């Protein structure tokens, strides 16, 4: 079918028009960047072409083939940003009109000096760009009108602001400056009123005088933020605020805090402040309030500490602004959840982040715990169940024990089972699977949301008495869990670990060999946020321990297992790696005690006796199998998550049950 692209769309967008919805054609698509997947387009209006950047939330359009080379698309939402003195159109939303089409017209790369184009009747001139060389006039024995293009006003405060934009219409001057007679024909020359370049109207109230050459930043969705933009502003609600933390590195002491933002389109992003910026904004930021944030620096999100679904995070600087919106914006939700059933935690990776909602069935008292860095904290464990047929332990740390934890214990002690929504709980695979709180975790008791009413209704209608299998620990000692049993040979034969997600299996096998030269290592004990550094440390010149990552020295270090062993069953043999907790389960001694025994006490006999005592012992190994890159080679790594000595009574019942289910011939 015939397709007509929007005339002069490229020129008009460069001139500041971001409100039309033009039809353009995609001439080329390239993927750029390695850390974050991004796509760059070359788009055309049949006369001009220009580079455009696709917002990451639209990447699926390219991956699914909805947008390809030759596609005619309609730009629904977009902005035009200057990057390295070159303008780029950032596409925030689009619709595919024609999936595939031949190249239309003979377009050339758009510049700021594109010649004017005469209309078919030859009586007027139509502008196609924002810059010009000379006025064009056409004489056919009739009146000739000479036109000057609109000029950008510079430092002229007396000029009126524009009330409308030119969209390629005829331009006529408002003042006649001269008249003459040329070859018997009247010639009239016109000069237009000089007008400033169009600027979008401000979207929020002024808070003082605007500096010279400054304009209020345009409010855009969080999902549209990218480093290629100049001035921007986002309007969002604070959903979480982290504690003020202090740190020490090579540049000296410092302080930092972060807060999370949510806008009306569901976009989320983390904002981080350091040192002097902390003093400006820490007391200003309140959870639940709406703010206008602008003039921040966008950097790639540190996914080890940032669980939000955004590839960027904002770092506020001295020039940044954070203004409180005094009027409540009902279009921005108070919180955004991405709930998953508890059953999905069972196969989740260690340290992954989950939102869950369930019924609190029991709460344990809070107990003091001494961290490895010598600091004391509080720990409280409660149990959570939902309609997926699974329950999980939730470990509360620090202030969570005395705030939400104490309130939950009082409710449960009164005979009521409350609903608890957990925002950003961290998965742990020690002793099964469990959840734990981190600094960005939020707990909501009996929240007023549809999911809470749904799980409460399930519980009241019989869920309270429904059988629920704990994924955190066995229901009774030695009883088998809902697990996937495999043999050693099946790990290789079935290609386990070679998919995008790791495989979790249980293998009954014996340890046949243990490496003794690298069974453990000396680790950094410093806590970084919610986690221990755990990087390898070495002796410094003054007999202290030095951590290159933290750039600090310590009198004492930590000792962590890095146990490499061979395990064997009746089908084959394979190498596995056991880290701290599982290594201690296997050897039965702390890593520090084994390290001192071998390296300082040099009691080789005692050390060898301990290792011999575990050889050919049969264990139930809970294994995580995942393919990883070693140098330039992909290898399958098998990690021991949990190691339990076989309870032969339970194992016999398990084998008898298998026999009873085996088809008889």
């Amino acid at each position: 079918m015939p397709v007509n692209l929007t005339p002069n769309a490229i020129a008009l967008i460069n001139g500041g028009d971001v409100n039309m919805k033009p039809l353009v054609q995609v001439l080329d698509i390239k993927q750029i960047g390695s850390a974050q997947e991004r796509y760059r387009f070359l788009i055309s209006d049949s006369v001009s072409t220009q580079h455009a950047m696709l917002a990451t939330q639209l990447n699926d359009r390219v991956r699914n083939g909805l947008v390809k080379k030759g596609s005619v698309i309609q730009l629904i939402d977009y902005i035009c940003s200057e990057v390295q003195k070159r303008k780029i159109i950032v596409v925030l939303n689009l619709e595919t009109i024609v999936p595939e089409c031949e190249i239309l017209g003979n377009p050339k790369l758009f510049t700021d000096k594109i010649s004017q184009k005469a209309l078919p009747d030859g009586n007027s001139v139509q502008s196609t760009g924002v810059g010009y060389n000379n006025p064009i006039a056409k004489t056919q024995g009739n009146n000739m009108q000479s036109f000057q293009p609109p000029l950008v006003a510079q430092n002229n405060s007396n000029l009126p602001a524009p009330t409308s934009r030119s969209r390629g219409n005829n331009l006529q001057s408002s003042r006649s400056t001269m008249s003459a007679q040329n070859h018997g024909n009247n010639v009239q020359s016109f000069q237009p009123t000089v007008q400033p370049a169009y600027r979008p109207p401000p979207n929020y109230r002024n808070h003082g005088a605007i500096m010279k050459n400054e304009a209020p930043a345009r409010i855009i969705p969080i999902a549209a933020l990218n480093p290629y933009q100049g001035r921007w502003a986002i309007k969002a609600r604070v959903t979480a605020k982290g504690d003020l933390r202090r740190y020490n590195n090579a540049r000296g002491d410092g302080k930092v805090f972060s807060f999370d933002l949510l806008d009306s389109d569901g976009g989320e992003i983390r904002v981080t402040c350091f040192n002097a910026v902390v003093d400006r904004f820490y007391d200003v930021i309140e959870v639940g309030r709406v703010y206008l944030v602008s003039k921040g620096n966008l950097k790639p999100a540190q996914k080890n500490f940032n669980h939000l679904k955004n590839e960027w995070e904002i770092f506020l600087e001295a020039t940044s602004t954070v203004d409180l919106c005094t009027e409540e914006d009902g279009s921005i939700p108070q919180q955004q959840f991405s709930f998953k059933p508890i059953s999905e935690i069972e196969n989740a990776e260690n340290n992954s982040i989950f939102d869950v909602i369930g019924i609190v069935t029991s709460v344990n008292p809070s107990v003091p715990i001494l961290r490895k860095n010598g600091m004391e904290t509080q720990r409280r464990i409660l149990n959570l169940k939902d309609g997926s047929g699974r329950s999980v332990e939730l470990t509360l740390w620090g202030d969570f024990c005395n705030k939400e934890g104490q309130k939950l214990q009082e409710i449960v002690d009164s005979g009521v089972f409350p609903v608890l929504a957990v925002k950003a709980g961290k998965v742990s695979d020690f002793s099964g699977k469990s959840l734990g709180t981190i600094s960005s975790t939020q707990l909501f008791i009996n929240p007023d949301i549809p999911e809470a009413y749904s799980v409460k209704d399930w519980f009241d209608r019989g869920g309270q008495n429904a059988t629920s299998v704990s994924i955190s620990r066995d229901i009774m000692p030695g009883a088998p869990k809902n697990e996937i049993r495999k043999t050693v040979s099946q790990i290789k034969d079935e290609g386990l670990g070679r998919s995008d997600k790791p495989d979790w299996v249980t293998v009954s096998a014996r340890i046949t060999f243990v490496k003794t030269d690298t069974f453990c290592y000396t680790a950094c004990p410093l806590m970084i946020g919610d986690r221990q550094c755990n990087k390898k440390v070495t002796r410094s010149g003054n007999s202290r321990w030095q951590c290159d990552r933290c750039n600090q020295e310590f009198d004492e270090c930590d000792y962590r297992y890095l146990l490499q062993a061979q395990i064997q069953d009746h089908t084959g043999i394979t190498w596995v790696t056991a880290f701290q907790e599982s290594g201690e389960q296997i050897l039965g001694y702390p890593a520090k005690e084994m390290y001192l025994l071998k390296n300082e006490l040099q009691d080789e006999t005692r050390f060898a006796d301990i290792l011999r005592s575990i050889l050919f012992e049969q264990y139930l190994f809970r294994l995580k199998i995942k393919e990883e890159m070693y140098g330039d080679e992909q290898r399958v790594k098998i990690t021991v998550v949990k190691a339990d000595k076989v309870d032969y009574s339970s194992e016999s019942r398990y084998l008898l049950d298998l026999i009873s289910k085996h088809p008889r011939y």
Side-chain angles (χ1 to χ4, degrees), residues 146-372:
S146 175
F147 295 89
Q148 295 286 345
L151 303 176
V152 178
Q154 296 180 354
N155 303 327
N156 192 339
S157 60
N158 296 323
L159 295 176
T163 58
S164 62
R165 294 182 295 279
S166 170
R167 299 197 181 195
N169 298 324
N170 298 335
L171 305 177
Q172 293 185 342
S173 69
S174 61
R175 294 183 302 170
S176 176
T177 60
M178 65 176 289
S179 64
Q181 193 162 9
N182 184 17
H183 301 293
N185 297 322
N186 294 330
V187 180
Q188 291 180 332
S189 174
F190 294 90
Q191 283 188 341
T193 301
V194 179
Q195 293 182 337
Y198 170 75
R199 288 172 179 163
N203 288 23
Y204 54 89
R205 297 169 60 185
N206 292 330
H207 298 274
I210 298 175
M211 295 178 62
K212 182 178 178 180
N213 293 330
E214 284 279 338
R218 179 185 179 219
I219 297 177
I220 64 174
I222 288 177
L225 285 175
N226 64 78
Y228 308 105
Q229 291 161 319
R231 292 190 302 270
W232 53 262
I234 55 175
K235 184 179 182 182
R237 189 185 305 278
V238 177
T239 57
K241 178 181 177 182
D243 296 329
L244 179 62
R245 297 185 288 111
R246 300 187 180 273
Y247 63 89
N248 179 276
N249 56 27
R251 292 176 290 181
D253 296 333
K255 53 188 175 182
V256 60
F257 92 101
S258 299
F259 57 95
D260 297 340
L261 292 176
L262 170 67
D263 69 6
S264 58
D265 294 325
E268 293 183 287
I269 196 167
R270 176 155 297 173
V271 183
T272 301
C273 306
F274 285 93
N275 301 324
V277 184
V278 172
D279 298 332
R280 287 183 59 198
F281 297 125
Y282 184 77
D283 293 331
V284 173
I285 299 301
E286 295 181 36
V287 175
R289 306 298 295 271
V290 176
Y291 297 84
L292 284 165
V293 181
S294 64
K295 297 182 181 178
N297 186 17
L298 264 73
K299 295 182 180 180
Q302 301 180 28
K303 288 303 182 182
N304 290 337
F305 308 100
N306 186 347
H307 65 275
L308 299 182
K309 295 178 181 179
N310 197 317
E311 61 181 303
W312 309 106
E313 58 184 281
I314 300 172
F315 287 78
L316 296 185
E317 300 173 328
T319 58
S320 301
T321 62
V322 178
D323 296 325
L324 175 66
C325 297
T326 56
E327 296 182 2
E328 174 61 24
D329 190 338
S331 66
I332 304 177
Q334 294 291 328
Q335 187 57 263
Q336 180 169 264
F337 296 98
S338 181
F339 291 125
K340 294 181 181 179
I342 292 175
S343 58
E344 288 194 19
I345 301 176
E346 191 168 11
N347 295 318
E349 292 190 39
N350 190 36
N351 296 327
S352 56
I353 303 298
F354 265 68
D355 293 354
V356 298
I357 188 169
I359 302 292
V360 178
T361 57
S362 65
V363 181
N364 294 337
S366 180
V367 295
I369 296 292
L370 188 66
R371 290 181 178 266
K372 294 176 181 178

Side-chain angles (χ1 to χ4, degrees), residues 306-470:
N306 186 347
H307 65 275
L308 299 182
K309 295 178 181 179
N310 197 317
E311 61 181 303
W312 309 106
E313 58 184 281
I314 300 172
F315 287 78
L316 296 185
E317 300 173 328
T319 58
S320 301
T321 62
V322 178
D323 296 325
L324 175 66
C325 297
T326 56
E327 296 182 2
E328 174 61 24
D329 190 338
S331 66
I332 304 177
Q334 294 291 328
Q335 187 57 263
Q336 180 169 264
F337 296 98
S338 181
F339 291 125
K340 294 181 181 179
I342 292 175
S343 58
E344 288 194 19
I345 301 176
E346 191 168 11
N347 295 318
E349 292 190 39
N350 190 36
N351 296 327
S352 56
I353 303 298
F354 265 68
D355 293 354
V356 298
I357 188 169
I359 302 292
V360 178
T361 57
S362 65
V363 181
N364 294 337
S366 180
V367 295
I369 296 292
L370 188 66
R371 290 181 178 266
K372 294 176 181 178
N373 62 352
M375 302 293 290
E376 186 178 280
T377 187
Q378 295 291 316
R379 183 185 71 184
R380 185 192 293 269
I381 297 176
L382 56 86
N383 282 279
L384 206 63
K385 70 182 293 187
D386 67 3
S388 67
R390 297 288 185 269
S391 63
V392 66
E393 283 186 355
L394 173 64
T395 303
L396 309 184
W397 295 97
D399 290 340
F400 287 106
C401 297
N402 301 324
K403 294 179 181 178
E404 293 88 350
Q406 183 61 35
K407 183 177 180 179
L408 287 169
Q409 184 169 19
E410 293 172 358
I411 295 175
V412 173
D413 288 346
S414 68
V416 178
F417 300 101
V419 177
L420 180 65
V422 181
K423 172 73 175 177
K426 188 178 76 170
V427 175
S428 170
D429 56 12
F430 176 69
S431 185
K433 287 296 180 65
S434 62
L435 283 178
T437 59
I438 55 179
S439 60
S440 56
T441 300
Q442 291 180 277
L443 304 179
F444 300 88
I445 301 173
N446 293 324
D448 187 14
I449 56 177
E451 294 87 350
Y453 294 111
S454 177
V455 72
K456 182 65 175 176
D457 183 67
W458 162 80
F459 188 77
D460 293 340
R461 289 176 177 271
Q464 180 175 1
N465 301 318
T467 302
S468 184
V469 178
S470 173

Side-chain angles (χ1 to χ4, degrees), residues 350-351 372 429-431 504 511 514 518-523 533-536 558-565 575-592 594 621-626 628 630 636-643:
N350 190 36
N351 296 327
K372 294 176 181 178
D429 56 12
F430 176 69
S431 185
W504 302 82
I511 297 175
V514 177
T518 57
F519 72 95
C520 77
Y521 71 97
T522 51
C533 173
N534 284 337
K535 291 294 183 182
K536 185 176 181 180
D558 197 7
Y559 298 84
R560 298 187 65 83
Y561 275 116
L562 183 62
L563 200 64
Q564 293 179 294
W575 282 96
V576 298
T577 301
F579 292 99
Q580 181 69 353
E581 291 81 5
S582 53
E584 192 167 321
Q585 289 174 344
I586 292 172
L587 289 175
Y589 294 89
K592 181 178 181 179
M594 294 294 291
F621 294 104
R622 173 74 165 164
L623 303 178
K624 173 188 173 183
I625 309 170
K626 178 65 177 172
E628 297 181 358
Y630 289 85
V636 174
K637 181 178 180 181
I638 305 175
T639 303
V640 179
V641 176
K642 187 179 181 183

